[in-house]
Amino acid sequence: MPQPLIERYRDYIPLEPGDPIVSINEGSTPLVEAPRLSERIGAKAYLKIEGANPTGSFKDRGMTVAVSRAKGRGAEAVICASTGNTAASAAAYAVRAGLTGAVIVPEGKIAIGKLAQALIHGARVIALEGNFDDALVIVRELAERHPIELVNSVNPYRIEGQKTAAFELIEELGGPPDALSIPVGNAGNVTAYWKGFQEWDTSPILYGFQAAGSAPLVDGAPVANPETIASAIRIGSPARWEEAMNAFNTSRGRVAAVTDEQILDAYSWLASNEGVFCEPSSAASVAGLLTHGLQTVDGMDKPETVVCVLTGHGLKDPDTALGTAPPVINCVNDITAVEHAVFD
Ligand code: F0G
């Protein structure tokens, strides 16, 4: 049975002595070789399957720590703004901790599976007439006014939990990969990976990818009305902007944009060539490598190993899958008709 992440990396997680461990056995996710992707990019590629976390995304790594600390300090409720995955994770960990949860999501802009998760876990789900950035402003203010714990990645305990993914990579590969490719939204996860790599004295090249319609870090300015099919990273004003840019610069990597078309191509290609079904936002990490290659600065050696972080499970967003994949073949109840349907 997988160990709770907090126990596996206890020495690196700054919880207080009396804090409970609120866990659903997150972390320790599979690292999978991707032979066909390796061929396409000319380097050994691995996929870090973060969709294998209990609620289907990397958010659980941060949530176990943030909610454990919240419970330890006597909080009774947690709140977050979310494009969906943080909401699902906060809702589940709130249940484990016996806390109430409230989540604010952009109305009509979160994948249906994530909405189902937040609701079934009993969180109060508020659909805001606004985007993620608007929701984040509101929850920050609410957390100032009320005794409720903010569990967005502006909460430092989220970063402390999420950095453990870097530790797992180093342990599993027997050292850091040469490069890491990661989708970027609010920029908490890239900040966390960089912290983890640095704490273990490593510094792989970080490649971050944003969706072209929501690429403030690439544009160098906030985006007022971010748009993209990759709803999880539909964010115009990342909270951890400076930390993320510092990570890209210090690691001698870069942040670049990928179009929705490139994201969807990578998304279906991964499912039909590597047997891995991730959500569209996650596929930005692969789309970025396919589009921009493994770029280096100052005559550095080209990376020989690269890990793509697949941040969330494909089942989160069945609408995009059904809208992208070939249709079902309807068939009458007759052996010959079925024979044609299968073999023609
Ligand atoms: N991939 C997925 C599947 C996500 O859900 C997110 C963020 C990201 C990538 C980007 O990570 O924000 O740390 O740069 N989702 C947040 C949410 C915003 O509310 O679920 P980031």
Side-chain angles (χ1 to χ4, degrees):
M1 198 167 67
Q3 231 179 338
L5 169 161
I6 292 172
E7 281 174 14
R8 180 166 174 186
Y9 294 112
R10 186 177 276 279
D11 294 346
Y12 301 91
I13 309 239
L15 284 171
E16 300 300 320
D19 289 346
I21 294 180
V22 180
S23 169
I24 322 178
N25 286 2
E26 52 294 307
S28 305
T29 54
L31 184 66
V32 176
E33 286 185 22
R36 296 194 173 101
L37 179 60
S38 302
E39 221 167 83
R40 282 188 73 182
I41 63 172
K44 179 130 192 156
Y46 296 87
L47 309 172
K48 180 69 167 162
I49 314 282
E50 288 294 278
N53 277 296
T55 77
S57 85
F58 71 94
K59 305 289 180 178
D60 297 345
R61 292 182 183 275
M63 210 55 74
T64 180
V65 182
V67 173
S68 295
R69 184 76 269 275
K71 184 74 179 171
R73 70 154 64 107
E76 286 175 7
V78 296
I79 193 167
C80 64
S82 180
T83 55
N85 280 325
T86 302
S89 185
Y93 283 81
V95 167
R96 294 294 289 197
L99 306 177
T100 56
V103 304
I104 321 278
V105 300
E107 184 184 15
K109 295 291 186 183
I110 83 165
I112 198 77
K114 304 174 187 179
L115 188 60
Q117 288 180 285
L119 290 167
I120 201 77
H121 288 306
R124 189 169 290 206
V125 178
I126 294 111
L128 185 74
E129 289 177 18
N131 60 30
F132 171 85
D133 305 294
D134 301 322
L136 188 58
V137 170
I138 288 177
V139 293
R140 288 178 109 146
E141 177 69 31
L142 288 180
E144 295 273 312
R145 287 193 201 172
H146 299 272
I148 190 166
E149 195 76 11
L150 183 61
V151 293
N152 279 106
S153 60
V154 294
N155 178 327
Y157 293 96
R158 281 278 311 278
I159 304 296
E160 295 296 335
Q162 285 171 216
K163 76 184 179 190
T164 60
F167 300 162
E168 287 176 20
L169 294 180
I170 295 168
E171 287 188 332
E172 197 147 346
L173 295 171
D178 293 339
L180 183 92
S181 180
I182 185 169
V184 179
N186 211 24
N189 210 27
V190 67
T191 300
Y193 270 90
W194 185 240
K195 185 165 202 285
F197 284 128
Q198 294 284 88
E199 283 184 12
W200 283 20
D201 293 324
T202 62
S203 56
I205 299 172
L206 299 189
Y207 298 116
F209 297 105
Q210 300 202 287
S214 308
L217 298 182
V218 182
D219 300 349
V223 175
N225 297 304
E227 275 309 338
T228 169
I229 181 103
S231 59
I233 51 172
R234 186 173 164 272
I235 293 175
S237 182
R240 293 206 178 255
W241 185 304
E242 269 135 46
E243 291 102 317
M245 290 315 295
N246 171 58
F248 293 126
N249 293 334
T250 316
S251 74
R252 310 218 272 171
R254 64 183 298 233
V255 57
V258 280
T259 64
D260 280 6
E261 196 184 345
Q262 289 162 344
I263 290 173
L264 288 180
D265 281 353
Y267 164 77
S268 358
W269 185 85
L270 268 179
S272 54
N273 287 275
E274 298 286 9
V276 174
F277 183 28
C278 63
E279 62 175 286
S281 301
S282 309
S285 63
V286 172
L289 293 185
L290 293 174
T291 305
H292 299 285
L294 293 156
Q295 299 188 354
T296 51
V297 292
D298 303 343
M300 284 167 73
D301 289 342
K302 192 181 163 199
E304 287 175 8
T305 54
V306 57
V307 172
C308 293
V309 184
L310 299 187
T311 45
H313 201 291
L315 288 172
K316 295 265 188 180
D317 187 357
D319 292 333
T320 302
L322 292 170
T324 307
V328 168
I329 301 164
N330 293 315
C331 191
V332 294
N333 183 3
D334 170 79
I335 180 78
T336 313
V338 175
E339 206 163 27
H340 283 301
V342 172
F343 296 106
D344 283 356

